[in-house]
Amino acid sequence: MRAGSLTARLSLLFALSTAAVLFALGTTLEYAVERHFRDMDRHDLTGKLALVREMVASVVDGAAPVDLAADLPADLTARLDASLVGHPDLIVQLRDADGAPLFTRGNLPAETDSPGWSAPARASAAQWLQWQHDGRPFRGLRAPLHEVTKGTETKTAAGSVLIGMDIGHHQAFMEVFRRILALTILAAASTAAVLGWAVTRAGLRPLRRMTALAAALDTERLDARLPRAGVPAEIQALVDAFNSMLGRLDDSFRRLSEFSADVAHELRTPIANLTLQAQIALNEHRDADAYREVLYAGLDEYERLTRLINDMLYLARADRGLLRPAQERVDLAVEIDALFEFFDAWAEERGIALVLDGQAATLGDATMLRRACANLIANAIRHTPAGARVRVLLWQQAAQAGIAVENPGPPIPSAQRARLFERFYRADPARQRDPGEAGAGLGLAIVKAIVELHAGTVAAESDDGVVRFVVRLPICSAR
């Protein structure tokens, strides 16, 4: 199922919401207007009823029932007509005790002669009526003509009055009101849809820019960023996340490009050496000893390639989370002593002293931690001038074990310290690696990977002519 346009859906939602609100408001207004007209009509009819009663009461004795057919003054009809001159749509009918009409003003429907209409009103309360006659609506009431109160007893006069009024003008107003209300709701809903479309389209402009930027991205434009200026607050988090993703992609692609170039450079030298040796050996016939020397010479290059490949595979497994360090107690002082014995011949050859100070123990993988410490010590020996010393400091706090490997050396700019742990990174790009150098520039990268697998941190420091690599390991946080 294809998803609809978000702009169209929001516009429709705006239109429906506006229509619903206006419909509820219109229904309330219609009810209020109709009730106002009904109350106004009842007020007018009640006033006319009081007028008719007052005129009849002024000519009859209210103490006892009166035979209106015999005792009604002749001039009362004229007086009633005169009092109702200003109300041409008003209907008034007087009836005697038997229901016979005594006075009629206006046109009444034939059904007023039926029992339901002509029966005398016995109750003291008025009866409200509504009817149609000749296609015209009427509202009226029927009530006793006169009430007499004697002691605690209330009696009604022998007669009733029916008063009605044409309410066609009210209903005509309500029809016009309903049409205007319907047109207003339709216009408001359409306007809300158009405005909602415009507002939604303007609000989604950052998303369209993100879409256009993402569609135009390639390896040459990973440095592009989406501007935050003018972006709604609700989308700023998305813009920041998108820019952050682009930054990570740019950094990862840059690192990958540099890594690929470094790998190609590191592989090119031993392969070129092997190719050259093979070509020289094939140029002329040699005896077995000469060929053996060629093979021995190539063996060093094969070993270098093997180390490079093994280190790259190790880092790849660490990146993919395939390396799981064991949790065992590791005495760091014992491990460092063992490494000093391993590097003793090399350090003595270069006139470098190895010094260990302090004690520390942690939980982790002994083999991994031994490899990380070996890489740090080898790196320190390689960059220490003859006659100096490499010092390893160990310390332990409540929940942390520390290792610091330091050696004398030139200061390292702060911008380069963090990059020392990148793969194949050279602080001096013009400097070529020693062909006999072990690790092919991946030693510090492996140190960082191992330390991070143990939930620790590693950093390079440089001050007062001393270069120091500091490892901090949480004692009980090995993963």
Side-chain angles (χ1 to χ4, degrees), residues 459-479:
E461 301 176 357
S462 178
D463 53 56
D464 298 330
V466 175
V467 176
R468 183 182 303 105
F469 289 86
V470 181
V471 175
R472 293 179 174 84
L473 299 171
I475 293 178
C476 299
S477 299
R479 291 182 288 181

Tab-separated table of all heavy atoms in Angstrom, residues 459-479:
chain	number	residue	atom	x	y	z
A	459	ALA	N	45.731	7.228	26.322
A	459	ALA	CA	45.996	8.579	25.835
A	459	ALA	C	47.494	8.808	25.810
A	459	ALA	O	48.257	8.172	26.551
A	459	ALA	CB	45.304	9.613	26.708
A	460	ALA	N	47.899	9.725	24.944
A	460	ALA	CA	49.312	10.110	24.833
A	460	ALA	C	49.506	11.477	25.477
A	460	ALA	O	48.685	12.374	25.292
A	460	ALA	CB	49.739	10.141	23.376
A	461	GLU	N	50.579	11.618	26.243
A	461	GLU	CA	50.917	12.886	26.881
A	461	GLU	C	52.354	13.244	26.521
A	461	GLU	O	53.193	12.356	26.305
A	461	GLU	CB	50.773	12.783	28.402
A	461	GLU	CG	49.367	12.402	28.863
A	461	GLU	CD	49.282	12.201	30.373
A	461	GLU	OE1	50.344	12.310	31.033
A	461	GLU	OE2	48.179	11.920	30.873
A	462	SER	N	52.624	14.548	26.447
A	462	SER	CA	53.973	14.995	26.110
A	462	SER	C	54.250	16.301	26.838
A	462	SER	O	53.574	17.303	26.606
A	462	SER	CB	54.085	15.194	24.581
A	462	SER	OG	55.370	15.667	24.235
A	463	ASP	N	55.229	16.264	27.763
A	463	ASP	CA	55.598	17.477	28.498
A	463	ASP	C	57.005	17.303	29.074
A	463	ASP	O	57.437	16.191	29.407
A	463	ASP	CB	54.592	17.765	29.619
A	463	ASP	CG	54.385	16.586	30.537
A	463	ASP	OD1	55.367	16.078	31.111
A	463	ASP	OD2	53.227	16.158	30.683
A	464	ASP	N	57.727	18.404	29.175
A	464	ASP	CA	59.069	18.426	29.777
A	464	ASP	C	60.009	17.408	29.144
A	464	ASP	O	60.797	16.734	29.829
A	464	ASP	CB	58.989	18.191	31.293
A	464	ASP	CG	58.187	19.277	31.992
A	464	ASP	OD1	58.196	20.425	31.482
A	464	ASP	OD2	57.552	18.982	33.012
A	465	GLY	N	59.920	17.226	27.825
A	465	GLY	CA	60.828	16.313	27.142
A	465	GLY	C	60.533	14.855	27.389
A	465	GLY	O	61.403	14.012	27.134
A	466	VAL	N	59.343	14.534	27.883
A	466	VAL	CA	58.969	13.143	28.160
A	466	VAL	C	57.691	12.833	27.393
A	466	VAL	O	56.711	13.593	27.438
A	466	VAL	CB	58.751	12.906	29.670
A	466	VAL	CG1	58.248	11.475	29.915
A	466	VAL	CG2	60.041	13.151	30.432
A	467	VAL	N	57.692	11.704	26.701
A	467	VAL	CA	56.499	11.212	26.009
A	467	VAL	C	55.941	10.068	26.846
A	467	VAL	O	56.667	9.145	27.226
A	467	VAL	CB	56.840	10.738	24.582
A	467	VAL	CG1	55.597	10.152	23.925
A	467	VAL	CG2	57.406	11.886	23.770
A	468	ARG	N	54.658	10.142	27.128
A	468	ARG	CA	54.064	9.178	28.052
A	468	ARG	C	52.745	8.653	27.463
A	468	ARG	O	51.901	9.414	27.012
A	468	ARG	CB	53.796	9.864	29.398
A	468	ARG	CG	53.246	8.934	30.477
A	468	ARG	CD	52.969	9.729	31.755
A	468	ARG	NE	54.162	10.425	32.236
A	468	ARG	CZ	54.351	11.746	32.117
A	468	ARG	NH1	53.420	12.507	31.535
A	468	ARG	NH2	55.457	12.309	32.573
A	469	PHE	N	52.590	7.334	27.495
A	469	PHE	CA	51.328	6.694	27.101
A	469	PHE	C	50.688	6.131	28.369
A	469	PHE	O	51.311	5.314	29.069
A	469	PHE	CB	51.569	5.580	26.077
A	469	PHE	CG	51.962	6.091	24.718
A	469	PHE	CD1	53.292	6.361	24.417
A	469	PHE	CD2	50.995	6.332	23.756
A	469	PHE	CE1	53.657	6.838	23.174
A	469	PHE	CE2	51.357	6.811	22.501
A	469	PHE	CZ	52.683	7.076	22.202
A	470	VAL	N	49.454	6.579	28.640
A	470	VAL	CA	48.785	6.239	29.893
A	470	VAL	C	47.556	5.389	29.582
A	470	VAL	O	46.692	5.776	28.783
A	470	VAL	CB	48.368	7.506	30.669
A	470	VAL	CG1	47.684	7.124	31.982
A	470	VAL	CG2	49.585	8.398	30.921
A	471	VAL	N	47.483	4.223	30.223
A	471	VAL	CA	46.336	3.305	30.077
A	471	VAL	C	45.629	3.251	31.429
A	471	VAL	O	46.246	3.053	32.467
A	471	VAL	CB	46.803	1.902	29.657
A	471	VAL	CG1	45.607	0.941	29.627
A	471	VAL	CG2	47.488	1.958	28.315
A	472	ARG	N	44.317	3.424	31.406
A	472	ARG	CA	43.487	3.304	32.607
A	472	ARG	C	42.455	2.217	32.379
A	472	ARG	O	41.695	2.259	31.416
A	472	ARG	CB	42.812	4.636	32.950
A	472	ARG	CG	43.801	5.729	33.382
A	472	ARG	CD	43.082	7.025	33.690
A	472	ARG	NE	43.990	8.022	34.239
A	472	ARG	CZ	44.756	8.816	33.529
A	472	ARG	NH1	44.737	8.747	32.204
A	472	ARG	NH2	45.560	9.697	34.107
A	473	LEU	N	42.447	1.224	33.294
A	473	LEU	CA	41.562	0.072	33.166
A	473	LEU	C	40.656	-0.016	34.388
A	473	LEU	O	41.143	0.014	35.523
A	473	LEU	CB	42.373	-1.225	33.050
A	473	LEU	CG	43.310	-1.336	31.843
A	473	LEU	CD1	44.190	-2.550	32.003
A	473	LEU	CD2	42.499	-1.430	30.558
A	474	PRO	N	39.347	-0.125	34.180
A	474	PRO	CA	38.455	-0.398	35.325
A	474	PRO	C	38.696	-1.818	35.832
A	474	PRO	O	38.684	-2.776	35.043
A	474	PRO	CB	37.048	-0.212	34.751
A	474	PRO	CG	37.208	-0.418	33.291
A	474	PRO	CD	38.600	0.038	32.945
A	475	ILE	N	38.901	-1.970	37.112
A	475	ILE	CA	39.317	-3.271	37.647
A	475	ILE	C	38.264	-4.347	37.421
A	475	ILE	O	38.585	-5.489	37.096
A	475	ILE	CB	39.630	-3.132	39.161
A	475	ILE	CG1	40.859	-2.241	39.328
A	475	ILE	CG2	39.862	-4.493	39.789
A	475	ILE	CD1	41.229	-2.002	40.768
A	476	CYS	N	36.969	-3.993	37.539
A	476	CYS	CA	35.927	-5.012	37.468
A	476	CYS	C	34.982	-4.764	36.300
A	476	CYS	O	33.808	-5.076	36.395
A	476	CYS	CB	35.117	-5.054	38.772
A	476	CYS	SG	36.114	-5.456	40.219
A	477	SER	N	35.468	-4.181	35.213
A	477	SER	CA	34.562	-3.844	34.093
A	477	SER	C	34.984	-4.492	32.804
A	477	SER	O	34.660	-4.013	31.727
A	477	SER	CB	34.505	-2.319	33.911
A	477	SER	OG	34.003	-1.697	35.077
A	478	ALA	N	35.740	-5.555	32.868
A	478	ALA	CA	36.134	-6.231	31.624
A	478	ALA	C	34.898	-6.782	30.941
A	478	ALA	O	34.020	-7.359	31.572
A	478	ALA	CB	37.120	-7.335	31.932
A	479	ARG	N	34.868	-6.635	29.628
A	479	ARG	CA	33.679	-7.071	28.888
A	479	ARG	C	33.910	-8.446	28.270
A	479	ARG	O	34.994	-8.765	27.871
A	479	ARG	CB	33.333	-6.071	27.780
A	479	ARG	CG	32.832	-4.757	28.318
A	479	ARG	CD	32.447	-3.796	27.201
A	479	ARG	NE	33.644	-3.298	26.509
A	479	ARG	CZ	33.601	-2.440	25.519
A	479	ARG	NH1	32.444	-2.001	25.088
A	479	ARG	NH2	34.700	-1.994	24.926
